[in-house]
Amino acid sequence: MATTSWSEELASLVDDPGVRFAGDPNPTEFHKTTPFDASSVESEESLKDQAMGFLMAWCEIVMELGRGCRDIVQQNLLNEESYVVRKIGEPCAKVSKRLSFFNHFLPEDRDPLQAWFVVFSVFVLALAAISVDLNRDPLTKVMKVAMHPPNASRILLPDGRYMAYYDQGVPAGRARFSLIAPHSFLSSRLAGIPGIKPSLLEEYGIRLVTYDLPGFGESDPHRSRNLNSSAMDMLHLANAVNVSDNFWVLCHSSGCVHAWASLRYIPERIAGAAMLAPMISPYEPHMLKDELKRTWDKWLPRRQFMYSLARRFPKLLPFFYRKSFLPENHDRIDKLLSLSLGKKDEILIEEPEFEEFWQRDVEESVRQGKVQPFIEEVVLQVSKWGFDIEELHVQKKCQTRGILLWLKSMYSEAECELAGFLDPIHIWQGLDDRVVPPSMTEFIGRVLPEAVIHKLPNEGHFSYYFYCDECHKQIFSTLFGTPQGPIEQQEETAFEENNEDVLPESSVSNDKKLLI
């Protein structure tokens, strides 16, 4: 019995259709000469094709599984009778209706649900990208934060809060000049004038008083503080520490926000202002477009983003602050505050004495471990202050309101008086400052032409104010002239002796009058 191969048996199962074309071979010969070869078909399908087919099959299975899960959720959770829809359906509908005006910004051919999902996803990815500092050196020295025992002098304010302060220089009774200095963001009363020598304060007879802002250092927080309350805090401090004469206000960077407030709300107690790289609101409405552009262009994208959050979404700031400067470890000042520094500043922050000062100052600033004071501080910087800097401009104001004053002004000159801040304002601005750009000082000079601006070529934000003995001497010489030292005690005793000589005579004359 003849045996047949499996290919011949398979070929015999195919019926002959009976249709013949010219040139077609004999079917019997076809089966004999061209048998079906399965191995040739298998060789045509490579391993890559098999893997792709397997993958496509799994994708189809996963898609079908997803559709099934979606249908289950829609049928059981998203129908009108489900518990979820009954509880959150109405609030979601109200929120969706209030936010529906945003859909006008979308193209007409886009589904709002899908479009806003894409927008939200991109926003989250951008937020994550901004949070990552790609320029950070992995070998950068990270410092451990230490907690120090309380040691500040404190005063009790009228509203029951305690304010911590630090007193330097000559004693109150011998001070020829008194300086009160509010500190900048992420700083404390320990900052003052970094690196100032006690001998220089003695030489000029200066008393320097610095204090912790509410919630910073050892000062109690203020739940509803504003720039008016900040000026009042400064006034209460001056009275409590026996600053009887008018005092100078000294500030650096964002601490000058509180100095501006003092010039506006308590000008009668201010003898003058010394400002170094003074900050104003980056959203100042009276700044020119060119001034605004040159200001924002100097800042890193992360810092611009933080100011935008403080202006529009301050409730999101705790996430970033807890991640940056409230943990147990601290980075360099430029990394921590997202600062772009000039050449001199880069050299300065590498100095051991600056690192030691910066570490201790930050430790004191975050002592209470609360993020709210920092949020309040940055919101004060970018929000409306309640006054314009132009109001400090010295100008004549004449009283012509009212019918009687108007009639009087027709026959005589109206009663006029000078308004604004009448005492000197000195501003030092580094031209290589990228933290508070020179464009801010240009705006100040434009609206306050009486302010004396000292432009400092090649100086940055910190280089002229921190650990520069010659710079400190130049500042004091500009403000106070030739050093005269503290007030001598002999002058006070001589004055007291003269008073004692006068008092008996007056008392004797009074006795004589009584006898008469």
Side-chain angles (χ1 to χ4, degrees):
M1 182 178 178
T3 60
T4 57
S5 64
W6 68 271
S7 59
E8 293 176 350
E9 292 179 354
L10 180 63
S12 65
L13 296 176
V14 179
D15 296 334
D16 187 2
V19 180
R20 296 289 183 272
F21 298 95
D24 284 350
N26 190 349
T28 306
E29 294 178 358
F30 173 80
H31 294 310
K32 292 182 179 179
T33 57
T34 58
F36 179 76
D37 190 0
S39 62
S40 63
V41 177
E42 293 175 356
S43 62
E44 293 177 358
E45 187 177 5
S46 64
L47 180 62
K48 179 180 179 181
D49 296 334
Q50 295 178 6
M52 289 298 297
F54 180 79
L55 182 62
M56 293 294 293
W58 265 107
C59 289
E60 292 178 1
I61 294 174
V62 172
M63 290 178 64
E64 291 297 329
L65 179 62
R67 291 191 185 101
C69 293
R70 181 194 62 185
D71 295 339
I72 293 173
V73 170
Q74 288 180 347
Q75 294 173 7
N76 294 277
L77 298 179
L78 300 182
N79 57 53
E80 296 180 357
E81 298 180 356
S82 67
Y83 176 81
V84 176
V85 173
R86 283 189 282 108
K87 288 295 183 182
I88 68 173
E90 186 177 352
C92 289
K94 291 181 179 179
V95 173
S96 177
K97 185 177 180 180
R98 290 184 179 180
L99 298 180
S100 61
F101 69 93
F102 282 113
N103 296 334
H104 298 298
F105 298 98
L106 298 177
E108 295 181 357
D109 58 343
R110 292 291 184 271
D111 181 17
L113 182 61
Q114 295 180 357
W116 286 118
F117 176 76
V118 173
V119 171
F120 178 76
S121 301
V122 172
F123 174 76
V124 172
L125 291 176
L127 200 63
I130 293 175
S131 301
V132 177
D133 187 2
L134 299 178
N135 298 323
R136 176 171 176 171
D137 185 1
L139 300 179
T140 301
K141 179 181 176 183
V142 178
M143 297 170 284
K144 184 76 174 179
V145 175
M147 289 292 102
H148 303 271
N151 61 353
S153 302
R154 301 204 303 173
I155 63 168
L156 181 63
L157 297 173
D159 59 1
R161 291 181 293 118
Y162 281 95
M163 173 186 286
Y165 71 95
Y166 180 43
D167 204 342
Q168 296 175 267
V170 301
R174 302 183 59 204
R176 194 174 294 276
F177 304 102
S178 296
L179 297 177
I180 294 183
H183 62 78
S184 59
F185 187 81
L186 196 56
S187 187
S188 71
R189 69 185 183 282
L190 302 181
I193 305 177
I196 188 68
K197 289 187 176 179
S199 59
L200 187 61
L201 295 175
E202 181 78 19
E203 183 180 353
Y204 280 86
I206 295 174
R207 182 190 184 194
L208 175 62
V209 181
T210 56
Y211 64 97
D212 288 328
L213 295 174
F216 291 73
E218 297 185 37
S219 288
D220 292 340
H222 191 319
R223 295 183 178 179
S224 58
R225 71 184 179 113
N226 51 34
L227 291 182
N228 191 355
S229 67
S230 179
M232 292 301 106
D233 285 353
M234 192 183 301
L235 178 62
H236 294 317
L237 173 66
N239 295 333
V241 297
N242 298 322
V243 177
S244 56
D245 297 331
N246 288 358
F247 58 87
W248 285 75
V249 60
L250 172 71
C251 65
H252 174 249
S253 190
S254 60
C256 292
V257 173
H258 306 281
W260 291 120
S262 68
L263 302 187
R264 172 62 180 83
Y265 293 115
I266 53 171
E268 67 281 355
R269 289 300 312 274
I270 307 297
M275 301 180 171
L276 291 99
M279 183 174 182
I280 60 174
S281 172
Y283 295 94
E284 170 59 50
H286 297 95
M287 289 184 73
L288 302 177
K289 291 184 177 180
D290 178 64
E291 293 170 342
L292 283 172
K293 184 178 184 303
R294 288 187 287 119
T295 297
W296 285 85
D297 287 348
K298 290 288 185 179
W299 293 335
L300 297 177
R302 179 182 173 88
R303 192 176 183 209
Q304 297 177 4
F305 176 70
M306 297 301 290
Y307 277 137
S308 300
L309 279 186
R311 176 79 170 182
R312 297 176 176 86
F313 306 103
K315 291 185 178 180
L316 298 179
L317 290 175
F319 169 77
F320 296 94
Y321 285 173
R322 290 192 181 97
K323 186 178 177 182
S324 57
F325 56 77
L326 285 179
E328 295 182 355
N329 297 325
H330 282 171
D331 211 333
R332 291 193 339 172
I333 185 172
D334 57 331
K335 305 297 181 183
L336 205 58
L337 297 178
S338 302
L339 305 180
S340 177
L341 301 180
K343 293 182 179 179
K344 278 196 171 184
D345 287 340
E346 288 283 359
I347 297 173
L348 175 65
I349 66 173
E350 295 293 341
E351 296 292 334
E353 57 183 359
F354 181 90
E355 290 186 0
E356 182 180 358
F357 155 77
W358 161 247
Q359 171 71 0
R360 181 66 183 89
D361 192 33
V362 172
E363 289 172 348
E364 191 63 28
S365 181
V366 301
R367 167 188 289 277
Q368 301 183 30
K370 298 179 181 179
V371 70
Q372 188 60 31
F374 298 94
I375 297 175
E376 294 170 353
E377 185 66 15
V378 72
V379 168
L380 281 179
Q381 296 173 15
V382 301
S383 60
K384 294 183 179 179
W385 290 1
F387 66 92
D388 294 326
I389 296 181
E390 293 94 324
E391 297 178 22
L392 304 176
H393 174 49
V394 177
Q395 53 188 329
K396 282 186 177 182
K397 282 193 175 181
C398 302
Q399 297 180 359
T400 57
R401 292 184 179 181
I403 297 177
L404 294 178
L405 291 175
W406 179 73
L407 292 174
K408 183 179 179 181
S409 63
M410 295 178 63
Y411 300 98
S412 62
E413 294 184 1
E415 296 181 2
C416 300
E417 59 180 5
L418 291 177
F421 185 72
L422 307 180
D423 293 301
I425 300 175
H426 287 270
I427 297 174
W428 285 264
Q429 176 66 53
L431 299 183
D432 195 27
D433 191 341
R434 302 177 187 177
V435 181
V436 177
S439 51
M440 283 191 171
T441 303
E442 292 176 11
F443 164 75
I444 297 172
R446 182 165 59 83
V447 299
L448 294 179
E450 62 273 12
V452 182
I453 298 178
H454 309 271
K455 297 181 179 180
L456 308 172
N458 303 321
E459 296 290 349
H461 188 67
F462 304 101
S463 58
Y464 190 79
Y465 189 55
F466 287 53
Y467 296 95
C468 180
D469 297 337
E470 187 61 29
C471 304
H472 298 161
K473 191 170 184 179
Q474 290 177 4
I475 293 173
F476 288 163
S477 176
T478 302
L479 297 178
F480 309 125
T482 305
Q484 301 178 16
I487 297 176
E488 296 295 336
Q489 293 290 345
Q490 294 180 354
E491 298 179 7
E492 295 181 0
T493 55
F495 179 74
E496 291 176 359
E497 289 177 358
N498 292 334
N499 288 342
E500 291 177 357
D501 294 340
V502 172
L503 286 174
E505 294 178 0
S506 60
S507 61
V508 169
S509 61
N510 290 335
D511 292 340
K512 290 181 179 179
K513 290 179 181 179
L514 290 173
L515 290 174
I516 294 172

